[in-house]
Amino acid sequence: MQKNKLTGVAIPLGALYTKNNPVIGEFADLMPFADFCKACGIQLIQLLPVNDTGTQSSPYSGLSAFALHPIYIRIKDIPGFENLYKNDKKFKTTYDTFITSQPYTLRYDYDAILNTKISLLKMLYDTTPEGKTGEAGEQLTKWIKSNPWVKDYAVYKNLKWNYMQASWKSWHQDDQHKTPEEITKLWNTKAFKKEHLFYAWCQMLADQQFTTAVEYVHKQGLLLKGDMPILMNEDSCDAWAYPNVFNQNLRAGAPADGDNPTGQNWGFPTYNWKNLKEDKYSWWKNRLKHASRYYDAYRLDHILGFFRIWAIPEADCNALTGHTEPYASFKIDDLYELGFDDDRIRWLKLPHIPTSAVEEVTWNRDVAHQILQTICTRIGDEELWLFDKSIKGSRDLAQLDLSAFVDEPAAQKIKAKLVEYWSNRTLLEVSKNKFIPLWTYGQSTSWGTLNEAEKEGLLDLFADLEKKNLKLWKKQADEIFTAITAGLKMTPCGEDLGVGIACVPQTMLAHKILGLRVVRWCRKWSEPNQPFVPFEDYEPLSVATTSVHDSSTIRQWWDDEKESVKAFIKANARDFDLESADASAGPLFADQKSELDQQADQLSQKDFTPELAQKILKASAKAASQWFIPPLQDLLYMDKALWLPDAADERINIPGTVTKFNWTYRVPCAVEELVQNKELIQKIAKLTSSQT
């Protein structure tokens, strides 16, 4: 931990743009960027994840916990480039077209860049001893020995190439599951050796180039902070090669909330913490030890997931029937004690579908009966049905073929209604005769039929579970953090946004894990008018920032969230030079409060300016947090020449969307131009000097 406060900057590596490399940011581009940071007094560079994500542009959709992304390799720095460029016309044309025919655009074309780079890498590889003979040379042999994980990765990548990048779950059954011995046998198979060595060779190059850049960053006196996504893609090498690490029957996500009424299903498998614990968390330890080769600090993404993850059955498409892992449960005997018999328990734990739910779409009871008979069992003569045991989850319902009964529009409505009923229950039976409440139990039909005494009895059970859960979650996190953070020189940080569980900040503090404070969201939400938390009250063991990769920038925030902006101005009146600000040192009289409110309202309605950006950053830098790490975009707002026409184009990601826009942001000028921008450097330096 640094004794003094420091200022950093957050940037996706691919966003960097240099005159000699106008296509996509690469490992080597960290060096001129470090020059800019040093001139500004910036002491830390924070990167988004740089691991291989295959065909996915999202850095949080990793195909490997260890492999670096080949898209960040600088082609012209590879040994043998000059010779091939001079003597191979096809290579020269491909490379020149790649570099020179790429005019600056607001976003980069991830797919086109990746495909061209892989093609160029293969052409260069074919000139190496490995590419010619299929046998590893001395340098590569030594590197592989120091990085044994690359064998699993190379075999996986070659299989994935041969399967046209399809998910390993769709491969031939013999290839879907390989023991460590079988993977080693494949690695050593002579027919595939050249291809396997290609992926190892790419990783060696990426490691060498990244290491060179890291050494330069350190030479300039800067620290480097990495990002560890908590989850791995279900199609990852790790999920394929180390199945004991993951629980493929469950998918991670988030429970229902106001913005997401059916919750979030991220599609990533959860961890099998029981197996990880038995193996002394070696996979996580190896992952972090590997990262420590490059980073001085690291960010644990979604740190709540180490306490408890929202786990959703693989058979479900939404997150409503999910539950926390780990969890405490109560027994069927507890329900008997409350006076519920088996029929009432069935009413609470199983969704009951009334005929009317389908009939209101078909306008024909006979047709409704025909449809329900295909997937349900009728309860006696009642117009009430239970799903057959053949229905494993809401995904089955969403994929029903109802073409024999109704047209497509009606079929979609019926399937949506059936999916809705799948989660219409009060209790989840997580294992035989063991229960937990559904997250949205209060909205269920069965809950609404209970009398007050029954509800009160169940609520007491639920409250008791909550106490037990808090102990379980804290115990799990304590065990994991003790195991995986020990012995590392890297400073741990955690993304703990929106976490309202008391044991989380306590546990993070005990393990010296820095939390995250996004200033616009640091408000006392339960108090009248939801005032901003004073900067002096920030937990020192934290990282403060103005924006994150999933949020808007401060410019878009200013333009679109006027209530928040006005409240921020009032809370930091002195920094905005408001006339009534001097009185804020003591109690304000009513007329002073009114005057301050008017001034804040007037200022919030003005257009965003570089001067306002400077004031927001200056105010935020006062936070008592150990580190202040805003994104580069927010710092660039102090020079209007660097603004894009539309503020929306300056954000990195829009959560809940999957588009080519996401994750492909580019800095609006070459890094060399930043190094020469003396006025901007002076403004940033003034900001950073206030931190020491």
Side-chain angles (χ1 to χ4, degrees), residues 270-283:
T270 63
Y271 287 106
N272 189 323
W273 289 114
K274 180 177 180 292
N275 288 349
L276 280 163
K277 182 178 180 179
E278 290 176 355
D279 193 35
K280 299 180 179 179
Y281 303 100
S282 61
W283 182 85

Side-chain angles (χ1 to χ4, degrees), residues 134-402:
E135 296 292 335
E138 183 178 350
Q139 183 186 32
L140 184 56
T141 298
K142 183 178 179 181
W143 188 88
I144 292 170
K145 187 176 181 181
S146 299
N147 296 271
W149 55 266
V150 81
K151 297 179 181 179
D152 300 327
Y153 169 77
V155 171
Y156 161 84
K157 287 286 283 189
N158 191 48
L159 282 168
K160 196 164 179 62
W161 177 270
N162 289 327
Y163 280 107
M164 304 293 288
Q165 302 301 331
S167 166
W168 63 263
K169 291 191 170 186
S170 67
W171 297 353
H172 189 278
Q173 191 170 1
D174 289 344
D175 290 331
Q176 288 182 24
H177 305 285
K178 295 287 185 185
T179 65
E181 294 75 20
E182 289 172 331
I183 293 175
T184 299
K185 184 178 179 181
L186 265 181
W187 162 262
N188 289 321
T189 301
K190 191 169 184 179
F192 310 132
K193 196 67 174 181
K194 177 182 174 180
E195 286 75 17
H196 291 159
L197 290 175
F198 167 71
Y199 296 106
W201 176 78
C202 287
Q203 285 304 305
M204 180 181 71
L205 291 175
D207 176 42
Q208 291 171 345
Q209 292 190 7
F210 195 17
T211 299
T212 298
V214 170
E215 290 172 350
Y216 187 87
V217 169
H218 288 160
K219 187 178 178 181
Q220 296 301 86
L222 277 68
L223 303 175
L224 194 64
K225 180 183 175 185
D227 197 332
M228 301 289 110
I230 183 176
L231 301 166
M232 299 299 302
N233 194 308
E234 70 171 342
D235 186 32
S236 66
C237 166
D238 299 82
W240 173 75
Y242 320 123
N244 60 307
V245 170
F246 302 92
N247 187 338
Q248 289 289 353
N249 296 321
L250 296 172
R251 293 292 176 271
D257 57 30
D259 295 328
N260 303 281
T262 59
Q264 299 175 55
N265 187 334
W266 301 330
F268 297 155
T270 63
Y271 287 106
N272 189 323
W273 289 114
K274 180 177 180 292
N275 288 349
L276 280 163
K277 182 178 180 179
E278 290 176 355
D279 193 35
K280 299 180 179 179
Y281 303 100
S282 61
W283 182 85
W284 265 102
K285 287 180 180 178
N286 291 337
R287 183 183 184 188
L288 290 173
K289 183 180 178 182
H290 183 74
S292 69
R293 294 160 62 164
Y294 313 113
Y295 303 120
D296 305 286
Y298 62 101
R299 170 187 178 273
L300 287 170
D301 175 50
H302 189 59
I303 200 166
L304 178 60
F306 291 93
F307 292 79
R308 60 88 167 151
I309 200 79
W310 189 252
I312 306 154
E314 185 184 16
D316 282 332
C317 49
N318 62 43
L320 289 172
T321 50
H323 60 274
T324 64
E325 283 278 342
Y327 61 83
S329 63
F330 54 83
K331 299 177 181 179
I332 196 168
D333 289 343
D334 296 313
L335 295 173
Y336 291 151
E337 285 291 323
L338 291 176
F340 293 102
D341 60 20
D342 288 338
D343 285 341
R344 299 291 307 289
I345 292 172
R346 186 196 68 188
W347 173 242
L348 293 173
K349 75 176 184 177
L350 295 179
H352 289 60
I353 309 94
T355 305
S356 59
V358 177
E359 187 180 354
E360 66 186 19
V361 178
T362 64
W363 294 98
N364 186 312
R365 177 164 293 190
D366 289 339
V367 172
H369 279 187
Q370 291 170 20
I371 291 172
L372 288 167
Q373 284 169 358
T374 64
I375 54 169
C376 296
T377 301
R378 191 173 179 180
I379 302 175
D381 294 329
E382 296 182 67
E383 294 297 341
L384 208 57
W385 307 71
L386 296 175
F387 286 116
D388 288 339
K389 291 183 178 180
S390 61
I391 303 298
K392 303 301 182 184
S394 58
R395 200 178 300 279
D396 290 342
L397 299 170
Q399 296 172 351
L400 287 173
D401 181 5
L402 302 179

Side-chain angles (χ1 to χ4, degrees), residues 421-437:
Y421 269 94
W422 179 256
S423 54
N424 187 341
R425 52 183 106 180
T426 297
L427 303 177
L428 279 177
E429 188 172 13
V430 285
S431 61
K432 188 171 179 58
N433 291 333
K434 290 188 176 181
F435 302 88
I436 61 172

Side-chain angles (χ1 to χ4, degrees), residues 427-470:
L427 303 177
L428 279 177
E429 188 172 13
V430 285
S431 61
K432 188 171 179 58
N433 291 333
K434 290 188 176 181
F435 302 88
I436 61 172
L438 194 80
W439 184 266
T440 53
Y441 67 85
Q443 302 169 24
S444 69
T445 301
S446 53
W447 179 262
T449 65
L450 302 179
N451 61 44
E452 290 305 311
E454 290 170 332
K455 288 181 179 179
E456 187 176 337
L458 285 174
L459 288 174
D460 286 341
L461 273 183
F462 299 168
D464 186 54
L465 287 189
E466 185 66 18
K467 293 176 184 177
K468 293 178 180 178
N469 276 329
L470 289 173

